[in-house]
Amino acid sequence: MLRKLSGRNALRQMRDYVVYLVTLILSVTLMYSFHLLVFSSEIKEVMKSWSMMPFIVVFISLIIVLILGRLVSYITEFIFRRRSREFGTYMMLGIENREIAAMFARESRMLGAAAWIAGLVGGTYFYQILKAMVMRLFLRPFHIRVGFSWEAFCLTGVYLFLIFGLSGRKLKKKIIRLSIRELLSMETENEKALVQKKKGKRVLFAMSVLALLLGCITFAVLLIGEVSDNAGGALSLFGLAMIVLSIFGLFMSVPAVLEQKLRKVKWKYKGRNLVLGRLFSGKICNLSLTFASVSILFLLVFLAVGLGLFFNKRVDSRVDETAFDFAVGTLYGQESLERFEEYIERELPQARTARYKVYTSGKTDFRQHFSVEDIGKFMSISHMDAMDNDCYMAMSVYEELRELLGMEKADLEEDKYYMHCSEFARDDLVRYAKSRDLTEMGEKKETLSFGGSFTGAFFQQEFFGNGSYYLLIVPDRVVEHMQVMEDLYVGVAKKELSMETYEGIASIERGEKTYITGKAEIRESGASIVMCLTFPLFYLAFILLAAAATIMTVQILSNLDQERRQFGILGECGMDRAEQIKLLRRYFAVYYTFPVLPAAVGSTAVYLAITASVDWDVYQGMTLVGFGEGMGILGMTAGAFFSIYLIYCFSAYLSFKKAVL
């Protein structure tokens, strides 16, 4: 009989808490699809830096097990609390605590089994989407192959066992100790406030606002100022601690502030403030700790999505900055590049190529200025030692390369010099160039005045190439008496080269002073970074967001009978349906926005400080080249967040409206 009752109750839970079930299914879907990715032989073949990927995914999955375990524990305890009168009745009929606990655990396992089966099916198909994204990153052909992995299947099963097993074990112990009286009164119990006195709560609110501002100011100092590594680490921990503490403090103290507002007659009777304030204060008073936990989850979501988009965006920009599909260079022209020319002419006859030289006068004027001037925190320099000298290129070569890269024709004057530089360094270097002429240039020792600057992808941010972020363009006669710094052979194909073609070029025998790079290599290394960082971050962010949104949705739909009575009273008092719908929309807007605001403010400060400190060697992969780009990524983060969050909000709104109005 109890087994039949468990089955009936499990079906009822699936119907009443469909948002919770959907979240579990989506979580298992993601978990299983990422495990398939880890154990896929196809992905291993295309990804060189594979050794870290399984560890990263498993590590993220363990974090997700803890998050989902807490979610399952929270929701099952919430469901048990809502059904406590029912279980109290069972106990009065003679059913023992242990049997009630076993029955409820059986219901949870049925829910988990349903999520597992649906998640395995969904994960099998979502894996194809992930695989397609990976193949696109690495420019490899994609073929749909629906397979099965025992390793992924078993690992997902172990994680689900841990999620439901640990949460069920904890609740089972609690149920065994409960009495009939405790069960019958459990439904009416609320969260216990950590701060009881109203005056103390108002003080806590003011301190929490100050702590949030202090945390943001701390990260602003890290963003703008020059701070040592040790001090920067300490400031980061301090700022993060202030933001987290402020979030908890805000939600613990807001009920008292809201109650104080409701005492002000002028504010209370303005518009819908009275009804809205009562509705929201009744919810937040009982759930302040829950709201604070949800807001912390949102903070982590913003950071995970923001950093994931940051790393993903840098892959395409790094490929574009490389400019050429392949580039071979030899330092000081010491080694021959003839073998490369012969190979390209034979294997890629349609590729457009150029052979040229980069020169140096031995001077370091621009280089010294570029190194010591404060250009900003979004800069990093890493090139060969030879690049410490100022680099020069003949005007005819520059015009040829611009034509090869599809740039507009440059109007160059023979008695001037020009500069091609990276966008982020342009303003500072142009100011410096306008203040000085190039003297004693060429055989006639002539003087060249500055004629202007150009920007655009021009092979200036690699280990070798056309200067270290800047290149001086001078008349052809001037470079004839300069020392050759690099002899280069570059090319542009009709379409971006595959990694196999690039590896064919790279396999040509060469000396220690000859270097090779190209878009395929940069994309391969960048795609590996995206695979190891961006994919797991998005994976984690979605689980965090789904868990937080599920808690919010389950809570707002938990007292529909009481809410129906309240809105019924409003109708009897003369409020028409249209006005009730407006009130309901505002209630949902406040409810779902409230935990997002402090998380958004805190995560923005943390994100900008983190990305500003990403000052890695550009040859290895990442630089943030401007504040505007960082803000653009924040905009995309907000879009990605709300596109999912609003689905939960809208579905809860429809259910609430249908049940209450």
Side-chain angles (χ1 to χ4, degrees), residues 90-313:
Y90 292 160
M91 194 176 294
M92 292 175 65
L93 293 174
I95 300 176
E96 296 182 0
N97 292 41
R98 191 174 298 277
E99 293 176 326
I100 293 174
M103 182 180 68
F104 190 69
R106 196 180 301 117
E107 294 173 15
S108 298
R109 287 197 297 270
M110 290 179 182
L111 205 65
W116 189 18
I117 294 170
L120 291 177
V121 176
T124 301
Y125 288 98
F126 188 72
Y127 163 69
Q128 301 300 323
I129 298 175
L130 289 179
K131 187 171 72 170
M133 294 169 65
V134 173
M135 294 304 179
R136 180 185 174 278
L137 276 173
F138 288 91
L139 295 182
R140 304 295 172 86
F142 167 69
H143 304 288
I144 295 179
R145 293 191 182 93
V146 179
F148 178 80
S149 170
W150 278 109
E151 295 91 342
F153 177 83
C154 294
L155 190 57
T156 306
V158 169
Y159 286 156
L160 280 175
F161 174 79
L162 291 174
I163 291 169
F164 283 90
L166 294 177
S167 61
R169 185 181 180 85
K170 177 184 176 183
L171 188 58
K172 183 178 179 179
K173 289 182 178 179
K174 183 176 181 179
I175 294 172
I176 291 174
R177 294 195 301 266
L178 288 173
S179 64
I180 295 177
R181 183 183 61 82
E182 290 172 327
L183 278 171
L184 294 177
S185 62
M186 183 179 290
E187 188 178 2
T188 59
E189 293 179 1
N190 293 319
E191 252 183 32
K192 293 182 179 179
L194 298 180
V195 181
Q196 299 292 339
K197 295 182 179 179
K198 295 178 182 179
K199 184 178 179 181
K201 287 184 178 181
R202 289 194 289 271
V203 173
L204 179 60
F205 180 80
M207 292 177 62
S208 299
V209 173
L210 290 175
L212 182 60
L213 291 174
L214 183 59
C216 293
I217 291 171
T218 301
F219 284 107
V221 170
L222 291 172
L223 174 65
I224 300 171
E226 295 295 331
V227 182
S228 66
D229 291 341
N230 292 333
L235 281 175
S236 299
L237 290 175
F238 174 77
L240 190 60
M242 287 295 100
I243 290 173
V244 172
L245 290 174
S246 70
I247 290 175
F248 277 100
L250 282 171
F251 287 100
M252 297 299 172
S253 57
V254 158
V257 176
L258 187 58
E259 183 181 344
Q260 188 179 23
K261 274 285 187 181
L262 287 172
R263 289 179 179 177
K264 296 181 178 180
V265 176
K266 187 176 180 181
W267 182 88
K268 180 166 59 174
Y269 292 109
K270 183 179 179 181
R272 308 180 187 91
N273 287 349
L274 175 60
V275 180
L276 188 63
R278 287 300 181 191
L279 283 172
F280 188 67
S281 62
K283 186 67 70 174
I284 187 65
C285 282
N286 300 329
L287 300 172
S288 55
L289 185 59
T290 300
F291 268 64
S293 302
V294 167
S295 190
I296 296 297
L297 289 178
F298 286 151
L299 174 68
L300 297 175
V301 170
F302 277 119
L303 288 177
V305 175
L307 292 174
L309 287 172
F310 167 68
F311 290 123
N312 188 54
K313 188 176 178 63

Side-chain angles (χ1 to χ4, degrees), residues 499-518:
M499 194 61 191
E500 289 82 358
T501 304
Y502 174 80
E503 288 173 346
I505 301 173
S507 65
I508 298 173
E509 185 180 353
R510 60 183 185 273
E512 294 181 355
K513 298 295 183 181
T514 299
Y515 307 92
I516 180 171
T517 190

Side-chain angles (χ1 to χ4, degrees), residues 366 369 417 428-437 450:
F366 283 85
H369 173 79
Y417 77 95
D428 182 79
L429 287 173
V430 167
R431 282 195 300 269
Y432 179 71
K434 287 180 178 178
S435 68
R436 60 174 286 108
D437 296 333
F450 182 61

Side-chain angles (χ1 to χ4, degrees), residues 3-182:
R3 290 185 179 275
K4 290 183 179 180
L5 188 60
S6 296
R8 182 180 62 82
N9 289 337
L11 291 174
R12 189 180 67 181
Q13 284 189 40
M14 293 179 190
R15 183 183 67 252
D16 294 344
Y17 300 96
V18 64
V19 172
Y20 170 53
L21 179 61
V22 169
T23 298
L24 286 179
I25 291 172
L26 291 177
S27 300
V28 176
T29 295
L30 279 178
M31 194 179 294
Y32 183 58
S33 60
F34 270 90
H35 291 159
L36 286 174
L37 202 68
V38 167
F39 294 107
S40 171
S41 58
E42 293 180 80
I43 304 301
K44 289 180 183 177
E45 289 177 2
V46 302
M47 191 172 172
K48 290 183 176 179
S49 304
W50 177 254
S51 57
M52 288 301 296
M53 184 65 181
F55 294 105
I56 292 173
V57 171
V58 171
F59 175 72
I60 295 293
S61 294
L62 289 174
I63 295 175
I64 288 171
V65 166
L66 296 176
I67 295 167
L68 289 180
R70 184 68 190 98
L71 173 66
V72 170
S73 179
Y74 178 87
I75 298 297
T76 51
E77 191 167 337
F78 171 80
I79 294 172
F80 181 80
R81 190 181 296 274
R82 296 289 299 164
R83 295 173 57 194
S84 58
R85 288 180 180 273
E86 174 192 340
F87 292 127
T89 305
Y90 292 160
M91 194 176 294
M92 292 175 65
L93 293 174
I95 300 176
E96 296 182 0
N97 292 41
R98 191 174 298 277
E99 293 176 326
I100 293 174
M103 182 180 68
F104 190 69
R106 196 180 301 117
E107 294 173 15
S108 298
R109 287 197 297 270
M110 290 179 182
L111 205 65
W116 189 18
I117 294 170
L120 291 177
V121 176
T124 301
Y125 288 98
F126 188 72
Y127 163 69
Q128 301 300 323
I129 298 175
L130 289 179
K131 187 171 72 170
M133 294 169 65
V134 173
M135 294 304 179
R136 180 185 174 278
L137 276 173
F138 288 91
L139 295 182
R140 304 295 172 86
F142 167 69
H143 304 288
I144 295 179
R145 293 191 182 93
V146 179
F148 178 80
S149 170
W150 278 109
E151 295 91 342
F153 177 83
C154 294
L155 190 57
T156 306
V158 169
Y159 286 156
L160 280 175
F161 174 79
L162 291 174
I163 291 169
F164 283 90
L166 294 177
S167 61
R169 185 181 180 85
K170 177 184 176 183
L171 188 58
K172 183 178 179 179
K173 289 182 178 179
K174 183 176 181 179
I175 294 172
I176 291 174
R177 294 195 301 266
L178 288 173
S179 64
I180 295 177
R181 183 183 61 82
E182 290 172 327

Side-chain angles (χ1 to χ4, degrees), residues 409-602:
K409 186 176 181 181
D411 187 14
L412 307 178
E413 299 180 28
E414 285 293 320
D415 60 342
K416 296 181 181 294
Y417 77 95
Y418 297 84
M419 180 187 300
H420 193 111
C421 57
S422 297
E423 183 67 38
F424 78 94
R426 180 178 184 175
D427 293 342
D428 182 79
L429 287 173
V430 167
R431 282 195 300 269
Y432 179 71
K434 287 180 178 178
S435 68
R436 60 174 286 108
D437 296 333
L438 296 183
T439 58
E440 299 184 359
M441 303 301 290
E443 187 177 11
K444 297 181 180 180
K445 307 297 183 183
E446 57 186 308
T447 298
L448 302 176
S449 61
F450 182 61
S453 65
F454 303 92
T455 60
F458 200 63
F459 193 35
Q460 293 187 300
Q461 291 184 302
E462 302 305 320
F463 183 64
F464 66 101
N466 297 328
S468 176
Y469 295 101
Y470 71 95
L471 177 69
L472 303 176
I473 316 299
V474 296
D476 290 22
R477 63 181 181 275
V478 172
V479 300
E480 292 176 358
H481 302 279
M482 288 185 178
Q483 180 185 6
V484 174
M485 178 182 290
E486 286 181 297
D487 185 8
L488 294 115
Y489 177 61
V490 299
V492 176
K494 283 191 172 182
K495 63 178 183 179
E496 188 174 320
L497 300 181
S498 65
M499 194 61 191
E500 289 82 358
T501 304
Y502 174 80
E503 288 173 346
I505 301 173
S507 65
I508 298 173
E509 185 180 353
R510 60 183 185 273
E512 294 181 355
K513 298 295 183 181
T514 299
Y515 307 92
I516 180 171
T517 190
K519 289 185 177 182
E521 180 196 27
I522 299 302
R523 184 177 295 281
E524 189 91 355
S525 60
S528 297
I529 292 174
V530 169
M531 279 287 295
C532 290
L533 295 177
T534 303
F535 276 39
L537 283 172
F538 286 159
Y539 173 32
L540 176 62
F542 179 85
I543 300 297
L544 290 170
L545 176 56
T550 299
I551 293 172
M552 295 284 292
T553 302
V554 168
Q555 284 292 349
I556 202 169
L557 298 177
S558 62
N559 294 314
L560 290 179
D561 292 337
Q562 180 180 343
E563 306 283 2
R564 189 183 299 111
R565 287 194 297 270
Q566 291 179 350
F567 276 86
I569 293 172
L570 292 176
E572 293 174 0
C573 292
M575 182 179 288
D576 59 22
R577 181 179 173 82
E579 190 68 18
Q580 289 183 24
I581 290 175
K582 290 180 182 178
L583 177 65
L584 184 60
R585 288 174 180 172
R586 185 170 295 185
Y587 173 43
F588 265 74
V590 173
Y591 177 84
Y592 275 93
T593 304
F594 187 49
V596 175
L597 290 178
V601 173

